[in-house]
Amino acid sequence: SAVSIKEALSGRRPEGSEVTVKGWVRTRRDSKAGLSFVNLSDGSCFDAIQIVVPNTLANYDSDVLRLTAGCAVIATGTLVPSQGKGQNFEMQASAIEVTGFVDDPETYPIQPKPHSMEFLREVAHLRPRTNVFGAITRVRHSLAQAVHRFFHENGFYWVNTPIITTSDAEGAGQMFRVSTLDMANLPRTEKGAVDFDKDFFAKDAFLTVSGQLNVEAYCLALSKVYTFGPTFRAENSNTSRHLAEFWMIEPEIAFADLAADADLAEALLKYVFKAVLEERADDMAFFVDRVEKTAISRLEHFINSPFERIDYTDAVKILQNSGKSFDFPVEWGVDLQTEHERFLVEQHVGRPAVVMNYPEQIKAFYMRMNDDGRTVAAMDILAPGIGEIVGGSQREERLELLDARMAKMGIDAAHYQWYRDLRRYGTVPHAGFGLGFERLVVYTCGLANIRDAIPYPRVPGHAEF
Ligand code: 4AD
Ligand code: MG
């Protein structure tokens, strides 16, 4: 019967079982004794299966001896105990069918040797065939499944918020415009400006930067909800932590304040790390071996550490008294840079930290004004080794204060009528946060660059594949 390589190697099938496996060749080695050893991978698990092929097969010379890395093969045979170390089973082949040879083995990009991550980005369509991208892909899957499981088990509903929108949820002006306009024949107003009222949505439409505003409406009806979908930011930041297209997990809870929000984020992160350590032990062991030697230990440390909670104002004092000279000097009122965030959690606190209550002038219009009149109930969660991984807040549920803040920031309330309605019809304290999914993947796998945490990264100058 046809089985995955994971199943074939699992030990669930008794010795001598006949099975068929299908996959892509990693390596082939021939012995003088008339045997070929073909390593075959199908991505179902970290390991490849060793297939021992005797030269007595009818197509041994015509097919088997032509196998090179990347060829697609269907192999049938019996499972026998493995002589080699590490694996319990190998296959003694009785038939090999090649469904696809590799055109030009010399130039096939994925050779059985280490490749740099930079090189692999140039072959994003073939990099899933490497050990490292197989492992990243499985870990990413397990993280996503664990996120959904966590929310489901805790009574949250997954709400699918729109990707095309007219609202700038962060008020930061970093949106990509969506248009059906025929660029050669742009409709013009009398004054000569492009007339967006004549376009598909009869209004300027954009790709969403966050599902938050939409999910707030569902929160104020279903109490515990979350979004998990793609978001887009036209920030021209060529860094190892920013993507133009990334996935975000955004829960929203009603009758809740910032402290409850921080507790939720802490519980979610610990849950998903625990799940991935259990589910992906072999992939995680590979990351320790080849990518980042603390990949497992730092997740364990994360799971076992109560998060520190620090006020922004205290964080600024800590940084100022640190005696360290930063590229960006710190003073009350500035946003914390990655170097500050990393110093705080890595040198000072030594575990994840929730920084709370930021100055209002550096935070989004929807965040709740604190009683001090100069800070808002915002939080960032900082992780050792990466910096900000979560950004969230308690939302301003009082209409007059929301309006005042929008006016102060020059935001047109007319654009946000529906959002204001939520404060007019049964308003309640509520809070939520955004967890960048690729930042989570980067952190879990110990990757150096966020471009390797998503299958097809979109960054300034790059949208190919
Ligand atoms: O801090 P941010 O901008 O918060 C929001 O978007 C809120 N609406 C979330 C909410 O309260 N519902 O983004 C949240 C997280 C960041 O902490 C970071 O992990 C990730 O999203 N993120 C990015 N990840 C990759 N590339 C980018 N360009 C990112 N920008 C933000
Ligand atoms: Mg943020």
Side-chain angles (χ1 to χ4, degrees):
S1 61
V3 298
S4 67
I5 290 172
K6 179 180 181 176
E7 173 67 17
L9 295 177
S10 69
R12 284 193 289 268
R13 309 247 152 189
E15 195 183 318
S17 309
E18 174 160 299
V19 297
T20 296
V21 293
K22 307 170 186 183
W24 292 266
V25 171
R26 282 276 167 77
T27 57
R28 189 195 91 229
R29 184 169 59 79
D30 308 314
S31 82
K32 294 207 182 70
L35 295 173
S36 288
F37 301 91
V38 176
N39 261 296
L40 199 70
S41 158
D42 67 358
S44 59
C45 58
F46 182 80
D47 289 317
I49 190 170
Q50 168 150 286
I51 299 176
V52 185
V53 192
N55 63 4
T56 50
L57 291 194
N59 61 345
Y60 184 81
D61 289 341
S62 57
D63 288 344
V64 177
L65 289 181
R66 284 172 59 207
L67 290 177
T68 55
C71 291
V73 162
I74 300 174
T76 300
T78 49
L79 295 175
V80 297
S82 174
Q83 316 298 330
K85 62 177 166 74
Q87 260 173 36
N88 299 325
F89 285 99
E90 60 188 28
M91 175 189 273
Q92 212 95 60
S94 54
I96 296 286
E97 182 192 338
V98 183
T99 70
F101 282 102
V102 165
D103 273 0
D104 180 1
E106 300 288 295
T107 59
Y108 179 63
I110 310 298
Q111 298 292 335
K113 62 162 198 189
H115 296 288
S116 75
M117 296 301 250
E118 288 76 14
F119 167 74
L120 291 175
R121 271 173 228 146
E122 291 166 20
V123 287
H125 60 310
L126 296 172
R127 67 180 186 173
R129 296 179 181 199
T130 61
N131 270 330
V132 65
F133 280 92
I136 293 169
T137 304
R138 285 183 295 271
V139 165
R140 187 176 161 110
H141 166 83
S142 288
L143 287 169
Q145 293 291 326
V147 164
H148 285 301
R149 228 167 32 240
F150 172 85
F151 285 125
H152 182 70
E153 286 171 5
N154 286 286
F156 284 70
Y157 296 111
W158 180 27
V159 174
N160 303 117
T161 50
I163 287 173
I164 297 175
T165 179
T166 56
S167 311
D168 182 353
E170 292 300 303
Q174 296 179 323
M175 310 226 283
F176 290 102
R177 176 173 282 139
V178 177
S179 179
T180 59
L181 288 175
D182 170 0
M183 294 309 283
N185 299 293
L186 294 177
R188 299 281 173 180
T189 62
E190 278 169 24
K191 288 185 176 148
V194 176
D195 187 356
F196 287 103
D197 287 346
K198 297 229 168 68
D199 197 19
F200 191 92
F201 296 108
K203 228 182 185 181
D204 253 355
F206 305 90
L207 296 179
T208 188
V209 294
S210 156
Q212 179 197 320
L213 305 189
N214 298 94
V215 93
E216 275 186 58
Y218 273 71
C219 173
L220 297 177
L222 288 108
S223 305
K224 295 203 266 184
V225 295
Y226 69 106
T227 71
F228 186 173
T231 49
F232 307 85
R233 299 215 179 161
E235 43 192 346
N236 192 9
S237 39
N238 249 313
T239 78
S240 59
R241 312 188 321 141
H242 291 90
L243 292 164
E245 176 178 312
F246 63 100
W247 286 60
M248 194 161 34
I249 297 146
E250 297 183 275
E252 194 74 25
I253 44 179
F255 304 100
D257 60 9
L258 189 63
D261 202 29
D263 292 347
L264 176 64
E266 180 169 354
L268 169 66
L269 287 166
K270 290 180 173 178
Y271 181 98
V272 300
F273 288 151
K274 237 179 247 166
V276 90
L277 287 177
E278 274 166 29
E279 243 170 65
R280 295 293 160 205
D282 48 3
D283 292 319
M284 291 304 300
F286 170 78
F287 292 130
V288 169
D289 213 34
R290 301 286 282 278
V291 178
E292 166 58 56
K293 60 181 188 308
T294 65
I296 290 180
S297 60
R298 66 187 193 172
L299 293 193
E300 287 168 345
H301 176 69
F302 200 108
I303 292 165
N304 295 321
S305 310
F307 290 10
E308 177 88 20
R309 277 139 178 93
I310 324 178
D311 241 55
Y312 166 88
T313 301
D314 295 328
V316 167
K317 284 185 197 141
I318 291 166
L319 292 166
Q320 285 175 329
N321 296 334
S322 67
K324 210 177 129 59
S325 72
F326 295 106
D327 292 339
F328 292 90
V330 190
E331 59 179 83
W332 198 94
V334 305
D335 207 359
L336 301 183
Q337 305 293 322
T338 306
E339 54 170 343
H340 309 136
E341 296 174 343
R342 294 193 55 175
F343 176 87
L344 265 180
V345 283
E346 288 162 25
Q347 315 286 324
H348 187 82
V349 179
R351 56 200 166 102
V354 191
V355 180
M356 297 165 134
N357 303 315
Y358 284 76
E360 65 143 338
Q361 66 268 25
I362 56 169
K363 288 292 181 182
F365 68 91
Y366 52 72
M367 296 186 179
R368 191 178 195 277
M369 182 62 75
N370 286 325
D371 292 342
D372 62 14
R374 60 178 204 149
T375 62
V376 288
M379 68 165 186
D380 276 0
I381 297 187
L382 315 180
I386 182 165
E388 177 187 342
I389 183 163
V390 163
S393 61
Q394 186 171 340
R395 320 305 189 189
E396 185 55 82
E397 85 282 16
R398 300 159 297 185
L399 186 61
E400 324 76 71
L401 281 114
L402 179 66
D403 282 348
R405 202 118 192 284
M406 287 205 282
K408 198 163 162 185
M409 299 178 83
I411 293 169
D412 182 6
H415 261 93
Y416 296 89
Q417 286 307 352
W418 66 270
Y419 186 71
R420 294 176 69 255
D421 273 353
L422 303 173
R423 278 71 185 162
R424 297 173 58 219
Y425 306 138
T427 195
V428 298
H430 61 290
F433 63 83
L435 165 60
F437 189 51
E438 285 72 24
R439 298 246 176 116
L440 187 68
V441 173
V442 161
Y443 192 70
T444 306
C445 303
L447 303 175
N449 196 312
I450 199 165
R451 296 168 196 213
D452 302 322
I454 189 165
Y456 299 99
R458 269 76 182 101
V459 294
H462 294 281
E464 56 274 286
F465 298 105

